[in-house]
Amino acid sequence: STLVSASPLVVGFSKKEIKISTNFTGTSVQIFGSIDGEGEIVTVVRGHKRPEIIHQKHRIAGIWVNGNSVIFNSVPIYHFVASTQALNQITSEATLRRLKIGATRIRFSPEKDMDNDLLKSFRRGLITLRQKQGLYTETPSKITKNKANLFRANIKFPANVLTGNYIAETHLFRNGHQIATKKTKLVVQKVGIEAAIYNFAHQYAAIYGIVAVVIALFSGWLAALIFRKV
């Protein structure tokens, strides 16, 4: 007979779909699970990547204007981290970088080569902006774990979260070593009138553009008519 060892890490989620409607103000998804034996847990949730352009701002005569800019080819739209302890108490910096855990360890690839110091400045600026928007974690959220080695935490999705597929990776560490990893897909999608408008705009882009122009022209004509009467 063949002996099959049970997984040392079991992970579940309160829901795997986040639905965005017109009154969506953000939400939380609870992650829970158990580990076999001792260990520390880190959960990372990542959104898909997309190009982003970042500008430096300069103040000229009291007005902020765009200066230098850089285009990053692959910027995650979301990066959330939760852990049972501070990350540097769980594993080495080399392992954290290999697993890309934490916003400062994300590898942004610029479209063009540029001065390294300037590139670092743009990276810091992008990370700071995403943290202010609530899309990147600044300090890992707390994963609580009891004596029975059951754990739980809340994954926060802010009101400005984008639709798409998100991947949650939960890692179990022992003595600094990565013992097990579980991956789970979470989906953020629009529902109701928001979804209808979004789908129409993408499936019938030309018609949507014409409708938008007609509405804008009609609104302008109506406003002019009202003010003329006034």
Side-chain angles (χ1 to χ4, degrees):
S1 62
T2 303
L3 294 176
V4 180
S5 60
S7 171
L9 174 64
V10 177
V11 180
F13 293 83
S14 58
K15 56 185 174 181
K16 295 183 181 179
E17 291 186 358
I18 295 94
K19 297 178 179 179
I20 298 178
S21 60
T22 52
N23 58 351
F24 181 74
T25 57
T27 189
S28 291
V29 175
Q30 189 174 79
I31 176 175
F32 51 87
S34 65
I35 60 175
D36 182 15
E38 293 301 314
E40 302 297 337
I41 305 144
V42 179
T43 293
V44 188
V45 184
R46 301 180 179 89
H48 63 268
K49 297 178 181 180
R50 68 176 191 178
E52 294 281 358
I53 182 168
I54 304 299
H55 297 280
Q56 273 188 331
K57 295 285 186 179
H58 298 287
R59 196 176 181 90
I60 300 176
I63 300 173
W64 287 100
V65 297
N66 290 334
N68 293 326
S69 64
V70 62
I71 298 175
F72 290 110
N73 289 322
S74 52
V75 178
I77 61 172
Y78 179 86
H79 189 95
F80 174 90
V81 181
S83 58
T84 49
Q85 299 287 344
L87 295 177
N88 59 11
Q89 294 178 357
I90 292 176
T91 190
S92 66
E93 179 63 28
T95 299
L96 292 171
R97 288 191 177 279
R98 176 175 60 82
L99 297 173
K100 300 173 189 174
I101 298 175
T104 58
R105 301 178 186 91
I106 301 172
R107 296 172 196 145
F108 301 124
S109 56
E111 189 176 68
K112 297 179 181 178
D113 291 336
M114 62 188 307
D115 176 77
N116 195 48
D117 288 339
L118 186 59
L119 184 60
K120 287 180 179 178
S121 174
F122 274 111
R123 281 178 174 151
R124 284 195 301 269
L126 174 56
I127 290 170
T128 300
L129 175 63
R130 290 292 181 265
Q131 288 173 337
K132 287 181 179 178
Q133 294 170 334
L135 296 169
Y136 285 8
T137 300
E138 188 169 359
T139 302
S141 294
K142 181 66 176 176
I143 296 178
T144 58
K145 186 180 62 160
N146 64 16
K147 293 180 180 179
N149 287 329
L150 302 175
F151 65 87
R152 64 180 176 84
N154 286 320
I155 303 168
K156 299 174 184 177
F157 289 91
N160 56 340
V161 69
L162 297 177
T163 58
N165 294 332
Y166 290 67
I167 299 297
E169 286 184 349
T170 302
H171 305 283
L172 169 63
F173 291 92
R174 277 196 195 127
N175 300 319
H177 300 293
Q178 181 189 7
I179 301 300
T181 297
K182 295 289 185 181
K183 289 187 180 183
T184 306
K185 184 173 79 171
L186 306 175
V187 179
V188 178
Q189 59 185 351
K190 294 180 183 292
V191 295
I193 189 66
E194 288 277 314
I197 295 172
Y198 180 84
N199 292 334
F200 181 77
H202 284 74
Q203 293 175 14
Y204 305 99
I207 298 175
Y208 181 80
I210 294 170
V211 171
V213 170
V214 170
I215 291 173
L217 290 173
F218 177 75
S219 299
W221 171 80
L222 185 61
L225 184 64
I226 293 170
F227 279 108
R228 189 183 306 162
K229 288 182 177 181
V230 172

